[in-house]
């Protein structure tokens, strides 16, 4: 799974943008889309999928499950993308599959981010032995190979359906974010405004929830994007090998059926190509937004105009 | 020394966690091996055989949990992963040994190629900020690395093997060539590995390019680089011996840490290509509900990744005096 993208964000400079609690998450995303083309492309793709997921019934011409057409038809006016080896309309399947695929990405991404926040921020804030143990736990989950673990869990709890799928993705997907959030929270720990809050006698929960978290909004959003990308790919992989619920309609299960019917050789390559393309586009949307975020929060990485570049004194100021 | 001690602690804790997770999961989740075993062999073998199979799998419930746990750890110490349900009566270790060389060859080769190539591209990209490499490749690979590995494999099969007919579509070697250590056989194996290896390289290289590029950019802004330029050293020397040498260290650790991700993706690629490696066996284990093989593979892959992480740690400690001092 292409998780390598998430390594990109591991830059110390993220902290520079930190102390602006007045900007909400939506503001940050909107601002990013205005100023960055990559963010714009990612945002538009994502918005299109959200629309499709909300109103599939208006867009899809046929019932996605109904096996009522001739098998392995090519693209035509009646069947924009042809039909499957079982005589279902591929375009309708694609439209209806958007909902579950997107839902998994968003829900699993959100839950993984919350878990990462809980572990990462408490580790940084508590310090000492708690920090050591929580960091150790994070590293353990970071390094255990996710696919075999996911497969073992999903295979045992096969009957659990969507909830198990999401749980498995969250369990294997939170650790990277926790590590990042911990290091940023660590850099905040000794700031004056936190001292002031403690001086006022605020409780720990209040300090974490209302003083620390708002300053970390941009990193949290970036983390959600990374976790959502992970969820898209992980769900696709699990469903592809048959560990989702094969009777659900989603892009991953479409690929599962396509592969099991030998779609590539049986004259219906679109059956395997198009759902994968949708997964790739949704993944790319999250990855582009994440990448653009990295550029925005870390000015040193922004694209520079083409010229023979000396590392100027300006960029070194930001890079540390 | 403190650094290595800390990493050793991490290694041991992770190893223990993986082993224990492997022990607990079947007992925590519904529909465990007992059910699978009974449905699979029901009516085909005598109840006595099932009983002895359960003993061999370590799922008999006569003993207390703690005793089972200790026995399980003891078995692992002897390299005993139990009997495979799907390939009964073969042992899990035997099954794994058949598949392991294929995966080591394919994934090892592809990962090293991706790492070296990606790091080099990252170095040159950062060196010429705003140049062709820097402005085109990073966004392209950001998009590509969001593609599911196995789907890229499907596309490669569709393009290069079904449409163009350049490469074989599946399996590790042709059935016509006898599997002995001869030149035709080796060439045949290489021939079959090109497309899956290409898939893995294509989907994993982006991560290396981007991390290396970002590390380089940070390093190039350091004062000692400006000093080197002021001294009039040749650009090649500054690029490789001054900047890249320092920038590559985080990439090396990142390499080890993300090996688990890469292997996960590579397993799916193997499945798509019907490559006779661990991934394909993992799929068969899923289809056969062969829990012992599944768990054996999980353990093996985890331990392999852990060893790689520890190796990278030691390498970093050896290469970078700061890691030794910091502790």
């Amino acid at each position: 799974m292409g998780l390598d993208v998430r390594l990109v964000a591991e830059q110390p400079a993220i902290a520079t943008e930190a102390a602006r609690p007045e900007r909400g998450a939506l503001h940050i995303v909107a601002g990013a889309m205005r100023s960055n083309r990559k963010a714009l492309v990612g945002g538009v793709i994502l918005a299109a999928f959200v629309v499709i997921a909300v109103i599939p019934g208006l867009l899809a011409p046929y019932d996605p499950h109904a096996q009522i057409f001739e098998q392995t038809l090519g693209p035509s006016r009646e069947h924009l993308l042809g039909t499957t080896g079982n005589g279902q309309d591929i375009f309708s399947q694609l439209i209806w599959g958007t909902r579950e695929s997107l839902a998994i990405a968003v829900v699993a991404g959100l839950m993984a981010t919350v878990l990462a926040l809980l572990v990462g921020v408490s580790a940084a804030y508590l310090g000492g032995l708690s920090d050591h143990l929580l960091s150790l736990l994070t590293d353990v989950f970071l390094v255990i190979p996710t696919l075999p673990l996911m497969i073992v869990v999903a295979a045992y709890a096969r009957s659990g359906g969507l909830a198990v799928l999401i749980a498995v993705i969250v369990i294997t997907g939170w650790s990277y974010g926790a590590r990042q959030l911990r290091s940023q929270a660590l850099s905040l720990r000794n700031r004056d405004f936190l001292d002031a809050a403690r001086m006022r006698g605020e409780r720990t929960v209040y300090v974490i929830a209302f003083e620390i978290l708002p300053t970390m909004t941009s990193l949290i959003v970036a983390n959600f994007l990374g976790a959502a990308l992970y969820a898209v790919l992980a769900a696709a992989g699990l469903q592809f090998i048959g560990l989702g619920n094969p009777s659900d309609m989603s892009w991953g299960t479409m690929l599962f059926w396509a592969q099991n019917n030998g779609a590539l050789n049986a004259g219906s390559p679109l059956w395997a190509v198009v759902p994968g393309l949708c997964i790739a586009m949704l993944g790319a949307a999250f990855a582009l937004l994440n990448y653009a975020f990295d550029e925005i929060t870390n000015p040193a990485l922004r694209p520079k105009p083409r010229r023979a570049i000396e590392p100027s004194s300006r960029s070194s100021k930001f890079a540390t | 020394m403190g650094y290595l001690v800390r990493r050793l602690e991490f290694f041991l804790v992770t190893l223990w966690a993986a082993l224990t997770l492997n022990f607990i999961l079947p007992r925590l989740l519904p529909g465990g091996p007992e059910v699978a075993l009974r449905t699979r062999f029901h009516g085909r073998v005598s109840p006595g055989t099932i009983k002895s199979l359960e003993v061999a799998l370590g799922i008999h419930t006569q003993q207390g949990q703690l005793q089972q746990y200790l026995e399980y750890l003891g078995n692992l110490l002897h390299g005993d992963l139990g009997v495979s349900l799907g390939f009964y009566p073969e042992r899990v270790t035997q099954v794994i040994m058949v598949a392991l060389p294929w995966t080591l060859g394919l994934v090892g080769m592809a990962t090293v190629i991706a790492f070296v190539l990606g790091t080099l591209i990252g170095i040159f990209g950062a060196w010429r900020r705003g140049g062709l490499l820097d402005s085109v490749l990073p966004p392209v690979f950001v998009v590509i690395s969001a593609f599911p590995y196995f789907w890229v494999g499907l596309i490669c099969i569709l393009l290069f093997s079904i449409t163009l007919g350049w490469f074989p579509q599946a399996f590790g070697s042709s059935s016509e060539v006898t599997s002995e250590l001869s030149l035709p056989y080796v060439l045949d194996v290489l021939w079959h590995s090109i497309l899956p290896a290409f898939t893995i390289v294509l989907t994993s290289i982006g991560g290396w390019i981007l991390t290396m590029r970002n590390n380089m950019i940070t390093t190039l802004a350091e004062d000692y680089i400006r000093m080197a330029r002021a001294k009039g050293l040749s650009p090649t020397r500054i690029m490789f011996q001054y900047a890249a040498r320092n920038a590559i260290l985080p990439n090396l650790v990142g390499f080890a840490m993300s090996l688990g991700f890469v292997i996960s993706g590579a397993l799916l690629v193997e499945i798509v290509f019907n490559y006779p490696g661990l991934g394909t066996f993992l799929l068969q284990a899923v289809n056969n509900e062969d829990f012992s093989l599944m768990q054996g593979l999980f353990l093996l892959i985890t331990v392999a990744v852990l060893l790689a992480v520890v190796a990278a740690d030691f390498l970093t400690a050896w290469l970078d005096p700061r890691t030794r001092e910091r502790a």
Side-chain angles (χ1 to χ4, degrees):
Chain A
M1 280 155 239
L3 282 160
D4 314 316
V5 207
R6 305 171 77 199
L7 292 170
V8 180
E10 195 160 36
Q11 286 289 330
I14 294 166
T16 48
E17 186 87 344
R20 286 198 199 152
E22 75 275 12
R23 288 173 70 187
L26 275 178
H27 259 98
I28 294 176
V29 174
M33 286 179 54
R34 265 202 303 278
S35 61
N36 192 305
R37 220 173 34 195
K38 296 184 193 81
L40 185 67
V41 174
V44 168
I45 298 175
L46 189 60
F49 279 132
V50 170
V51 171
I52 294 173
V54 173
I55 49 163
L58 297 179
L59 300 170
Y62 307 107
D63 175 4
H65 291 283
Q67 308 183 0
I68 47 175
F69 304 107
E70 215 171 307
Q71 292 167 1
T72 62
L73 286 175
S76 64
R77 192 168 298 168
E78 286 79 43
H79 303 285
L80 285 176
L81 299 169
T83 58
T84 69
N86 300 324
Q88 300 141 311
D89 182 54
I90 294 179
F91 181 68
S92 303
Q93 290 203 328
L94 208 62
I95 297 288
W96 279 99
T98 310
R99 186 175 275 178
E100 185 172 310
S101 297
L102 191 66
I104 293 175
V106 173
V107 173
L110 272 179
M111 287 169 69
T113 309
V114 170
L115 194 58
L117 258 179
L118 279 178
V119 176
V121 174
S122 7
Y125 192 80
L126 297 172
L129 185 66
S130 320
D131 182 20
H132 183 76
L133 291 178
L134 286 173
S135 301
L136 203 59
L137 184 75
T138 310
D139 280 353
V140 166
F141 273 92
L142 197 59
V143 87
I144 289 182
T146 48
L147 184 81
L149 178 61
M150 284 197 295
I151 287 179
V152 172
V153 176
Y156 273 117
R158 213 169 204 172
S159 50
L162 204 56
V164 169
L165 197 66
I166 290 177
V168 168
I169 294 171
V170 171
I171 292 169
T172 52
W174 61 274
S175 54
Y176 187 78
R179 211 175 189 218
Q180 277 190 313
L181 292 165
R182 175 182 166 272
S183 45
Q184 169 146 33
L186 216 50
S187 75
L188 289 174
R189 198 166 59 170
N190 296 321
R191 296 279 184 86
D192 289 340
F193 71 97
L194 291 183
D195 280 339
R198 274 184 228 116
M199 246 24 133
R200 295 200 302 270
E202 306 287 6
R203 280 174 304 162
T204 310
V205 178
Y206 175 88
V207 175
I208 291 181
F210 294 100
E211 300 283 347
I212 297 184
L213 290 192
T215 58
M216 294 172 62
T217 317
S218 66
L219 186 59
I220 295 171
V221 174
N223 245 304
F224 164 71
L225 294 171
L229 168 60
Y230 172 74
V232 171
L233 295 175
L238 283 176
Q239 291 176 331
F240 173 65
I241 58 174
L243 285 172
N245 181 354
S247 59
D248 276 2
M249 192 48 69
S250 77
W251 298 332
T253 45
M254 282 179 75
L255 280 169
F256 167 75
W257 288 114
Q259 173 80 355
N260 277 15
N261 287 288
L264 288 184
N265 288 310
S268 51
L270 278 180
W271 191 7
V273 171
V274 192
L277 193 66
C278 284
I279 295 169
M281 273 169 61
L282 182 60
F286 285 124
L288 280 172
L289 282 171
N290 199 4
Y291 184 69
F293 240 81
D294 216 22
E295 282 184 354
I296 291 160
T297 49
N298 186 356
L301 298 178
R302 278 180 203 166
K304 292 193 173 182
R306 185 169 185 173
R307 62 188 156 94
I309 290 184
E310 304 289 319
S312 67
S313 53
R314 251 189 317 150
S315 65
S316 65
K317 192 166 55 188
F318 290 107
T320 42
Chain B
M1 241 13 247
Y3 171 74
L4 290 183
V5 170
R6 250 188 304 128
R7 297 312 291 176
L8 215 61
E9 178 205 11
F10 164 69
F11 172 74
L12 290 175
V13 168
T14 313
L15 187 64
W16 172 79
L19 296 182
T20 308
L21 209 59
N22 193 37
F23 175 81
I24 292 176
L25 279 179
R27 287 159 177 81
L28 224 58
L29 299 165
E34 283 124 294
V35 183
L37 191 69
R38 292 198 180 274
T39 38
R40 164 167 282 271
F41 289 102
H42 184 72
R44 281 168 50 198
V45 292
S46 70
T49 319
I50 291 190
K51 195 106 227 122
S52 62
L53 256 178
E54 285 181 351
V55 175
L57 286 166
I59 52 176
H60 53 133
T61 41
Q62 307 292 339
Q63 295 170 308
Q65 294 288 337
L66 184 69
Q67 205 176 347
Q68 284 184 40
Y69 181 59
L70 293 176
E71 197 176 312
Y72 158 81
L73 288 181
N75 285 344
L76 285 182
L77 270 181
H78 294 103
D80 183 4
L81 294 170
V83 180
S84 162
L85 283 172
F87 296 89
Y88 182 79
E90 294 230 30
R91 305 199 72 78
V92 169
T93 34
Q94 288 172 309
V95 180
I96 288 180
M97 285 322 282
V98 175
L100 191 59
W102 292 96
T103 296
L104 275 183
L106 176 70
V107 179
M109 186 173 73
T111 311
V112 169
I113 291 176
F115 180 67
V116 173
L117 210 61
T119 305
L120 277 176
I121 296 176
I123 292 174
F124 283 105
W127 185 255
R128 297 203 171 278
R129 284 299 298 284
L132 194 67
L133 268 184
D134 186 48
S135 45
V136 175
L137 283 186
V140 167
F141 277 109
V142 164
V143 172
I144 288 183
S145 55
F147 292 2
Y149 275 37
F150 60 92
W151 180 70
V152 176
L154 287 174
I155 297 296
C156 284
I157 290 178
L158 187 63
L159 268 182
F160 297 111
S161 121
I162 294 180
T163 312
L164 295 169
W166 290 353
F167 296 103
Q169 187 179 348
F171 307 119
S173 60
S174 314
S175 49
E176 302 96 63
V177 188
T178 48
S179 48
E180 54 184 26
L181 206 61
S182 62
L183 191 63
Y185 179 67
V186 171
L187 286 179
D188 188 54
V189 168
L190 278 178
W191 182 239
H192 278 78
S193 71
I194 290 178
L195 217 46
F198 174 71
T199 307
I200 299 172
V201 170
L202 191 68
T203 36
S204 62
I205 196 172
W208 311 133
I209 295 181
L210 287 169
T211 20
M212 192 59 199
R213 167 179 172 270
N214 293 1
N215 292 340
M216 268 297 269
I217 289 171
T218 315
T219 313
L220 281 174
E222 299 264 351
D223 286 337
Y224 74 88
I225 300 287
R226 201 167 308 127
M227 179 66 190
R229 283 174 197 274
K231 283 199 294 188
L233 295 179
S234 77
T236 334
R237 184 149 176 210
I238 299 177
M239 179 160 54
F240 285 105
Q241 298 201 346
Y242 280 65
R245 229 173 125 177
N246 276 325
I248 204 171
L249 284 167
N251 219 22
L252 207 63
V253 178
F255 176 71
M257 288 303 262
S258 58
L259 209 57
F261 292 135
V262 175
I263 288 179
S264 297
L267 294 177
L268 288 171
V269 171
E270 285 188 351
I271 291 175
V272 168
F273 284 93
N274 251 315
Y275 207 75
L278 299 177
T280 307
F281 279 86
L282 196 57
L283 179 67
Q284 285 184 15
V286 170
N287 290 341
N288 291 335
E289 303 211 314
D290 185 348
F291 291 98
S292 44
L293 181 56
M294 233 185 281
Q295 292 182 276
L297 285 169
F298 165 65
L299 277 187
L300 176 85
I301 295 167
T302 308
V303 171
V305 169
L306 270 180
L307 287 177
V309 171
V310 170
D313 281 336
F314 276 72
L315 197 62
T316 316
W318 179 57
L319 288 174
D320 186 355
R322 286 172 304 180
T323 45
R324 276 170 279 166
E325 272 166 25
R326 221 184 294 143

